[in-house]
Amino acid sequence: MEKFGRVIVKLRIPILILSFLLLIPSALGCFNTRVNYDIMYYLPDDIDTMIGQDVLLKDFGKGAYATVVVDKMDSKNLTRLEEKIKNVEHVAEIISYNSMAGSAVPIEMIPEKYRSIFENKENGATLFAIFFDDTTSSDETMQAIQDIREVTKGQCYISGMSAVVTDTKNMAEKETPLYVLIAVLLVCVVLAIFMDSFLVPVFFMISIGMAIVYNLGSNYFLGEVSYITKALAAVLQLGVTLDYSIFLWHSYKEMKNSYPEDNHEAMAHAIGNTLTSVVGSSITTVAGFVALCFMSFTLGLDLGVVMAKGVVMGVVGCVTILPSLILTFDRALEKTTHREIMPGFDRLADFVVNHAWIFIVIFLALLAPAIYGYNNTDVYYNLSDTLPEDLDCSIANKKLEENFDLNSVYMILADTNLSSKDTNAMMKEIQDQDGVTFALGLDSVLGTSVPEELLPDSVKSKLKGEDYQIMMVASDYKVASDEVNAQVDAVNTIAKKYDSNAMVIGEAPCTKDLITITDKDFATVSAISIVAIFIIILLVLKSISLPIILVAAIEFAIFINMGIPYFTGTSIPFIASVVIGTIQLGATVDYAILMTTRYKKERHAGYDKKEAVKIALSTSIPSIIVSALGFFAATAGVGAIASVDMIAALCTLMARGAIISMFVVIFILPSLFILFDWVIVHTSIGFRKERD
């Protein structure tokens, strides 16, 4: 490894020149990577809700749809408003009681019960639906939403997933640069306090920042990334790869004592030492992110690939760019050094080792409530409810609920040749379900008084295609609630009774699928991450018992972290329940490995269990604290300022998880070493002192 270090030292100037030049294509790739703001897009392609959306787009030229509420507008002005909206690019269709009947059928002939669906005469509100010619989160649909808002000048309120996606995009684009800025500032504060140089944090941020830009730029080759990945990638990469820079700096300082007259040789050895320790450390982090790639909900794949790639680039930057910067500006670093304020931890280590039984009791006392809270924490799936109330889509959702007692609108795609008798019977059965505000299709709107043949093809084609016809169902149950999920099941059963190929599609059915799929993903990802990291620890530490102890300690920290929301009455986003445990395990098990490696070294050197654990603990605490506080700083600030609750909640959980893992590794893990020392020594290689 020293040979590799010497090559880096020799080529430090070319490395810096090349690394800065690479920022140009990376920045271009970063700015040109498309961002997907639609969470539902990541559902599997082979489920009915996704297949149905493709059918809707292919057969009817309709992709996304939105529900629109208009306040206090007479029919004449309403018609003008509809015409304005029709002229907006990418608006495929408007469905109102005017458009459904067409000019050939007098409005008076439409049954009053269906007219009342579109009108609230008491409040003077009118309801209609807009269909777009592209998908929910396409750039074209989001631009159409913006254009409609501009041309109607606040005369209508647009609700639905496309409106939510549009507003989420606008918020995220404004805030994401701020996330990075606040993370960098807070990390710099932590490093400036706990490191021995005021300037070294700057070089850490430059090298890590360049690795982040390379990572984000290379996302261009993925085609697109989710907005959650884009918002979290830089912050997460900073938090999980910061350790590597700290390792290099400490190793360099140590080697300078051995080579006081030759900084280049000291750095060559430091690079070699860092690479050896960081590769083992980074593999566990990469394994945690790779586990996310096994999710059926492919947002995990999106985040997992980007973050695994980011960790690898962070390692490369740590052993190439950072050493080159340190050697180039070594004199400046020397001038900005200061005394480290980190105290010694011998007394704390003494206390923990001599009172291990206390922490074992605490561990056992907290384990059951932590697991209970972990398994019972409330999870939410309806993302629109967590957005700020002053957003356009939030105001529209409130108007929809107030004026029409609607919380969700979804659709049925059924055989276009289904008889009017069967169609009406199906609609009647669905209408009778609890919570269904209305259920209608072309046949049910016209009833028996208006023959379908009377309608022009241009009107019929809005709801009837060559293979499928569209029927709409409105519910007064909220999306993602148990009630609407049961209702969707019932509607699906009724629809398939009349047409076995019928599909129920829309936000509520998609969210129901999301709940089912992510519940399975949670178990899958947790198992894969635990098994993968277990195997890595087994190979690195050459032990059967240590992987169990280390994983158990970090899993205990995860149980506490994820269980706290249950006891505080807080609801967390569904994706947190899947990814936080894996990220916390992969990112913070390094703390445990660091201490365990030193414990193994001291036991091998001949120290008894208490002395070995004491030395390992006292020497590891400073690195663990700086690392955990760095991860905390990178994520806590974002959690505090993010308007998108999903991003705020994820960052808050990661920040809290880092601190909890820190305390568990400092207090619980050494106590477990004391308790299970005999088992560890007899089930591990390299713990016993070699015979002279």
Side-chain angles (χ1 to χ4, degrees):
M1 290 298 180
E2 284 76 14
K3 288 183 179 179
F4 174 78
R6 290 188 184 96
V7 171
I8 298 300
V9 169
K10 183 178 180 180
L11 299 176
R12 60 189 181 281
I13 300 303
I15 286 172
L16 286 179
I17 293 171
L18 179 62
S19 60
F20 279 103
L21 288 175
L22 284 174
L23 289 175
I24 298 171
S26 298
L28 291 173
C30 182
F31 290 127
N32 288 286
T33 300
R34 188 181 182 276
V35 181
N36 192 329
Y37 292 86
D38 182 10
I39 292 294
M40 301 302 176
Y41 170 85
Y42 296 97
L43 286 168
D45 293 332
D46 57 353
I47 58 177
D48 274 1
T49 45
M50 295 292 102
I51 295 170
Q53 288 187 10
D54 291 339
V55 168
L56 192 65
L57 191 58
K58 180 181 176 183
D59 285 22
F60 294 91
K62 299 180 177 75
Y65 66 93
T67 309
V68 180
V69 177
V70 182
D71 266 342
K72 298 179 176 62
M73 187 175 288
D74 58 38
S75 58
K76 186 176 179 181
N77 285 320
L78 190 61
T79 301
R80 289 175 181 168
L81 183 68
E82 287 185 24
E83 286 300 319
K84 283 183 182 179
I85 295 173
K86 283 179 185 176
N87 291 328
V88 171
E89 192 175 5
H90 301 295
V91 170
E93 203 76 69
I94 290 180
I95 294 183
S96 61
Y97 61 75
N98 286 323
S99 63
M100 287 182 72
S103 57
V105 180
I107 292 173
E108 292 74 17
M109 291 184 68
I110 299 175
E112 178 60 29
K113 66 177 180 177
Y114 291 115
R115 287 182 59 193
S116 65
I117 290 169
F118 297 98
E119 288 183 301
N120 183 331
K121 291 183 178 179
E122 184 179 338
N123 295 334
T126 308
L127 174 72
F128 60 87
I130 303 174
F131 282 89
F132 301 92
D133 63 10
D134 215 325
T135 54
T136 301
S137 61
S138 70
D139 295 334
E140 291 75 15
T141 298
M142 288 190 284
Q143 185 58 52
I145 294 281
Q146 297 273 48
D147 292 344
I148 291 169
R149 287 171 175 168
E150 288 178 13
V151 300
T152 58
K153 295 179 173 60
Q155 293 174 299
C156 64
Y157 304 91
I158 308 169
S159 71
M161 201 61 201
S162 290
V164 170
V165 167
T166 303
D167 289 340
T168 301
K169 175 188 176 183
N170 293 337
M171 270 200 311
E173 285 184 342
K174 289 177 184 176
E175 292 188 355
T176 299
L178 188 59
Y179 299 161
V180 178
L181 177 62
I182 195 166
V184 168
L185 289 176
L186 290 177
V187 169
C188 282
V189 170
V190 169
L191 293 177
I193 293 172
F194 290 105
M195 301 296 287
D196 60 351
S197 168
F198 291 116
L199 189 58
V200 74
V202 176
F203 293 120
F204 282 8
M205 292 303 102
I206 291 173
S207 64
I208 295 171
M210 292 171 82
I212 289 171
V213 174
Y214 301 152
N215 185 30
L216 298 181
S218 65
N219 290 341
Y220 178 79
F221 299 103
L222 300 177
E224 65 179 23
V225 295
S226 76
Y227 78 94
I228 292 175
T229 299
K230 181 185 178 185
L232 294 180
V235 173
L236 256 182
Q237 188 174 334
L238 171 59
V240 299
T241 63
L242 180 63
D243 294 357
Y244 313 151
S245 299
I246 295 171
F247 290 162
L248 178 80
W249 178 248
H250 285 161
S251 182
Y252 175 54
K253 286 193 337 181
E254 185 179 340
M255 288 299 107
K256 282 179 76 173
N257 292 329
S258 301
Y259 301 94
E261 303 300 325
D262 192 346
N263 288 350
H264 292 178
E265 188 64 21
M267 181 59 80
H269 281 80
I271 292 170
N273 294 340
T274 301
L275 193 58
T276 302
S277 59
V278 160
V279 167
S281 173
S282 64
I283 287 173
T284 58
T285 308
V286 170
F289 288 121
V290 168
L292 297 177
C293 300
F294 289 88
M295 290 172 63
S296 300
F297 183 59
T298 54
L299 178 62
L301 175 66
D302 188 78
L303 181 60
V305 168
V306 172
M307 287 314 306
K309 182 162 54 76
V311 172
V312 173
M313 291 184 179
V315 172
V316 173
C318 171
V319 296
T320 57
I321 299 172
L322 183 58
S324 302
L325 285 169
I326 290 173
L327 286 177
T328 303
F329 298 96
D330 192 64
R331 287 186 180 179
L333 285 168
E334 290 286 349
K335 291 179 181 178
T336 59
T337 56
H338 61 83
R339 188 172 63 85
E340 290 188 51
I341 67 167
M342 190 79 76
F345 291 96
D346 291 344
R347 287 186 180 180
L348 178 61
D350 264 335
F351 180 82
V352 173
V353 168
N354 292 322
H355 299 83
W357 63 272
I358 295 177
F359 300 104
I360 295 296
V361 170
I362 292 172
F363 170 73
L364 294 174
L366 291 178
L367 185 59
I371 292 174
Y372 183 81
Y374 172 79
N375 288 321
N376 290 278
T377 290
D378 186 44
V379 175
Y380 69 79
Y381 292 83
N382 188 3
L383 306 183
S384 59
D385 278 354
T386 64
L387 295 175
E389 292 183 0
D390 58 350
L391 280 186
D392 289 340
C393 64
S394 300
I395 295 170
N397 287 338
K398 189 176 181 182
K399 288 278 184 184
L400 187 64
E401 185 176 358
E402 288 175 350
N403 289 289
F404 295 96
D405 197 25
L406 293 181
N407 275 297
S408 57
V409 179
Y410 53 97
M411 289 179 286
I412 301 168
L413 290 176
D415 189 344
T416 197
N417 296 317
L418 196 66
S419 67
S420 295
K421 179 182 176 182
D422 284 346
T423 301
N424 288 326
M426 180 168 71
M427 290 292 97
K428 185 177 185 308
E429 273 196 66
I430 292 172
Q431 181 72 64
D432 291 339
Q433 296 300 306
D434 291 342
V436 172
T437 308
F438 68 77
L440 57 87
L442 190 60
D443 290 319
S444 57
V445 171
L446 296 177
T448 56
S449 59
V450 182
E452 189 177 311
E453 291 75 18
L454 184 62
L455 297 178
D457 290 339
S458 60
V459 173
K460 287 192 289 186
S461 65
K462 293 180 180 181
L463 294 177
K464 281 199 173 186
E466 186 176 336
D467 299 312
Y468 291 91
Q469 60 176 307
I470 300 171
M471 303 163 193
M472 302 190 76
V473 180
S475 174
D476 60 10
Y477 296 145
K478 281 186 173 290
V479 170
S481 64
D482 292 339
E483 293 82 3
V484 83
N485 291 338
Q487 183 189 92
V488 168
D489 273 337
V491 168
N492 191 51
T493 300
I494 294 168
K496 288 190 181 295
K497 183 172 76 174
Y498 290 92
D499 174 14
S500 60
N501 295 317
M503 292 173 282
V504 181
I505 66 173
E507 185 181 359
C510 277
T511 305
K512 180 182 175 298
D513 286 338
L514 182 66
I515 294 170
T516 304
I517 288 165
T518 51
D519 280 349
K520 293 178 183 176
D521 282 342
F522 174 68
T524 302
V525 169
S526 295
I528 291 173
S529 61
I530 289 172
V531 170
I533 290 174
F534 182 96
I535 293 171
I536 291 167
I537 296 172
L538 186 150
L539 296 174
V540 170
L541 297 176
K542 299 178 178 63
S543 170
I544 296 172
S545 55
L546 282 172
I548 299 172
I549 294 170
L550 267 60
V551 170
I554 301 300
E555 283 295 318
F556 172 63
I558 292 168
F559 292 154
I560 294 175
N561 187 27
M562 297 295 287
I564 286 173
Y566 170 78
F567 295 104
T568 58
T570 307
S571 185
I572 63 173
F574 72 94
I575 195 66
S577 64
V578 183
V579 306
I580 287 297
T582 301
I583 293 173
Q584 188 174 339
L585 176 60
T588 64
V589 76
D590 294 349
Y591 310 163
I593 293 173
L594 175 68
M595 184 184 297
T596 308
T597 304
R598 187 59 184 263
Y599 161 55
K600 178 180 179 179
K601 178 181 177 181
E602 301 307 327
R603 282 297 269 147
H604 182 73
Y607 288 104
D608 64 21
K609 66 179 181 182
K610 283 194 172 183
E611 191 63 25
V613 173
K614 177 188 170 184
I615 294 171
L617 181 56
S618 62
T619 55
S620 300
I621 285 177
S623 296
I624 292 170
I625 288 176
V626 174
S627 178
L629 289 180
F631 196 0
F632 175 82
T635 50
V638 178
I641 66 165
S643 300
V644 181
D645 189 69
M646 180 175 286
I647 294 169
L650 286 170
C651 286
T652 299
L653 285 164
M654 285 188 281
R656 188 171 65 208
I659 299 301
I660 293 171
S661 291
M662 178 187 76
F663 279 109
V664 167
V665 171
I666 291 174
F667 294 101
I668 304 296
L669 186 61
S671 304
L672 292 173
F673 288 161
I674 296 292
L675 180 64
F676 294 108
D677 180 78
W678 188 91
V679 176
I680 293 169
V681 169
H682 288 82
T683 57
S684 310
I685 298 173
F687 273 78
R688 297 182 186 182
K689 182 178 180 180
E690 291 182 5
R691 294 179 181 177
D692 296 330

